[in-house]
Amino acid sequence: MFKEYQHLRIPGPTPIHPEVGRAMERTILGHRSGEFSKIFAETLKKAKRIFQTEQDVLIVASSGTGALEMAVANIVEPGDKVLVIVTGVFGGRFAKIAKAYHAEVLTADFEFGTAADPNQIREILKQHPDIKAVFATHCETSTGVVNPIQELAHIVKETNAVFVVDSVSALVGMDLKFDEWGVDIAVTASHKALGLPPGLALIAVSQKAWKVIDENQGTRFYFDLRSYRDNAAKDTTPFTGPVSLVFGLSKSLDLIEEEGLEQGFKRHFLLRNMVRAAVTALGLELLVKNDQDASCTVTAIKGNERFDPEKLRKVLREDYKIVAAGGQQHLKGQIFRIGHMGYTHPMDILTTIAGLELALKQVGYPVELGAGVKAAQEVWANEKNIG
């Protein structure tokens, strides 16, 4: 009966709200029709609110990685010097994309599980005043670490460089004040905290960034931001628009506004604290030690000599229908990750922790059933002022 059931607790794709699913099932429209253009224009306006910007926000039929490449392709010309902040796999991906576009890539590398040090970034920028762009991840999905984007934006703003932020697994789950902080390009994707299927990306662009983009002589076609800007002014897209995903995005943005952006941040913060408290109560080790640097959308937990994270994930998936993520690159087999973003309620976390306890016991880890659930409940009760 439950063969196809899954409790999806990975950092994307994430669970989809039923209303979003229903919105995507509406009768398809031609992507050049007047009716779709109206919906598209309204959706672009709504999207500005989640970036907290008055600048251009554009919609692209693409994965998150496509949006990262779009940012690089429109900023970088061969030989340009850029700085990439690497705190995990996706920071490393930014560096790989920049190298593919023949940039001179400098990297600021930090231990996985550790946030970037703004002072180190400031020193690198002083040493290399010809850096054209700085690339950073907001939430490093591979480790669950959050980089200090506001501080970094302030530092980059004092230079001629543009500041590009991968907020794929952060936006809506954590605060990003695009205009106030001085971010120049920020990208996100549909299948994370926005709670949509994969296939759609959003990208916000500042006036400072547009100046660089308009002067860029590099080659690009499908990912040419200028064509998206020019077509958005006419309430359309340069190529076939992701019609059903736009229907879903429109509804998702309505639901986010209904909850309230700040309230959504608080909910994600609560989910994070519940997971971290439960993990600690179970005697497990968090990869990100410092609460300040811990993501509100995904938590990474270390394995040890008493259990194999991959075996644990298999038991979680097959016996308890809970799908958790594994580690990547050198963290493969060393950690497992629990996603808690988007259409996720605190009760979902209690269910996840209860299943985790059972799975840990099943793989031979010494666990007191209920200890993690109790710790998570106490966090929630404290937030609700239940004394």
Side-chain angles (χ1 to χ4, degrees), residues 20-32:
V20 172
R22 286 192 289 271
M24 294 180 64
E25 291 173 356
R26 65 167 289 178
T27 302
I28 199 76
L29 297 173
H31 64 285
R32 299 299 182 208

Side-chain angles (χ1 to χ4, degrees), residues 70-148:
M70 191 176 206
V72 173
N74 283 270
I75 293 295
V76 173
E77 295 180 68
D80 284 341
K81 185 182 291 186
V82 302
L83 173 63
V84 181
I85 299 170
V86 180
T87 56
V89 171
F90 293 94
R93 182 170 295 180
F94 245 153
K96 289 179 181 177
I97 297 170
K99 288 175 183 176
Y101 281 81
H102 305 291
E104 179 186 344
V105 179
L106 306 179
T107 60
D109 297 284
F110 298 88
E111 182 182 356
F112 281 20
T114 303
D117 178 0
N119 292 324
Q120 187 172 329
I121 304 307
R122 180 182 284 110
E123 286 305 310
I124 294 173
L125 289 170
K126 284 181 180 178
Q127 293 168 17
H128 299 274
D130 55 341
I131 286 174
K132 186 177 186 181
V134 178
F135 298 91
T137 51
H138 189 175
C139 165
E140 176 50 67
T141 320
S142 66
T143 64
V145 77
V146 177
N147 284 310

Side-chain angles (χ1 to χ4, degrees), residues 39 154 291 352 377:
I39 295 169
H154 179 73
D291 284 348
T352 300
Q377 286 176 320

Side-chain angles (χ1 to χ4, degrees), residues 38-51 53-55 57 59 235 253 257:
K38 181 180 179 182
I39 295 169
F40 184 75
E42 291 171 349
T43 304
L44 285 178
K45 290 178 183 178
K46 295 176 189 176
K48 290 188 177 189
R49 293 196 279 270
I50 62 171
F51 284 93
T53 185
E54 296 300 322
Q55 304 302 311
V57 175
I59 293 174
D235 302 333
L253 294 173
E257 183 153 342

Side-chain angles (χ1 to χ4, degrees), residues 30-279:
H31 64 285
R32 299 299 182 208
S33 67
E35 188 177 355
F36 178 70
S37 288
K38 181 180 179 182
I39 295 169
F40 184 75
E42 291 171 349
T43 304
L44 285 178
K45 290 178 183 178
K46 295 176 189 176
K48 290 188 177 189
R49 293 196 279 270
I50 62 171
F51 284 93
Q52 301 179 67
T53 185
E54 296 300 322
Q55 304 302 311
D56 292 309
V57 175
L58 305 170
I59 293 174
V60 185
S62 165
S63 66
T65 300
L68 301 185
E69 179 167 346
M70 191 176 206
V72 173
N74 283 270
I75 293 295
V76 173
E77 295 180 68
D80 284 341
K81 185 182 291 186
V82 302
L83 173 63
V84 181
I85 299 170
V86 180
T87 56
V89 171
F90 293 94
R93 182 170 295 180
F94 245 153
K96 289 179 181 177
I97 297 170
K99 288 175 183 176
Y101 281 81
H102 305 291
E104 179 186 344
V105 179
L106 306 179
T107 60
D109 297 284
F110 298 88
E111 182 182 356
F112 281 20
T114 303
D117 178 0
N119 292 324
Q120 187 172 329
I121 304 307
R122 180 182 284 110
E123 286 305 310
I124 294 173
L125 289 170
K126 284 181 180 178
Q127 293 168 17
H128 299 274
D130 55 341
I131 286 174
K132 186 177 186 181
V134 178
F135 298 91
T137 51
H138 189 175
C139 165
E140 176 50 67
T141 320
S142 66
T143 64
V145 77
V146 177
N147 284 310
I149 297 301
Q150 184 175 3
E151 293 177 68
L152 293 171
H154 179 73
I155 291 166
V156 178
K157 194 174 183 179
E158 296 174 348
T159 73
N160 292 323
V162 293
F163 187 41
V164 182
V165 177
D166 164 6
S167 194
V168 169
S169 65
L171 196 77
V172 177
M174 288 174 281
D175 200 5
L176 177 67
K177 292 181 170 63
F178 187 88
D179 289 353
E180 183 179 322
W181 294 356
V183 176
D184 294 305
I185 294 180
V187 305
T188 196
S190 55
H191 62 295
K192 301 289 186 174
L194 285 173
L196 293 164
L200 182 149
L202 288 82
I203 182 164
V205 188
S206 74
Q207 290 303 310
K208 180 180 179 181
W210 277 127
K211 186 175 186 300
V212 175
I213 292 165
D214 286 332
E215 293 173 354
N216 188 332
Q217 299 300 308
T219 302
R220 66 266 203 205
F221 181 73
Y222 184 81
F223 284 153
D224 190 338
L225 273 168
R226 296 167 300 182
S227 63
Y228 285 85
R229 173 191 60 191
D230 295 346
N231 278 274
K234 296 179 284 187
D235 302 333
T236 189
T237 56
F239 311 105
T240 304
V243 176
S244 295
L245 283 168
V246 171
F247 293 161
L249 175 62
S250 179
K251 175 53 69 173
S252 173
L253 294 173
D254 288 343
L255 294 171
I256 290 166
E257 183 153 342
E258 183 180 309
E259 179 182 24
L261 201 54
E262 290 294 332
Q263 189 58 40
F265 297 152
K266 291 178 181 177
R267 174 171 55 84
H268 283 86
F269 183 71
L270 170 63
L271 300 179
R272 181 204 76 168
N273 291 345
M274 289 174 68
V275 171
R276 288 177 68 82
V279 167

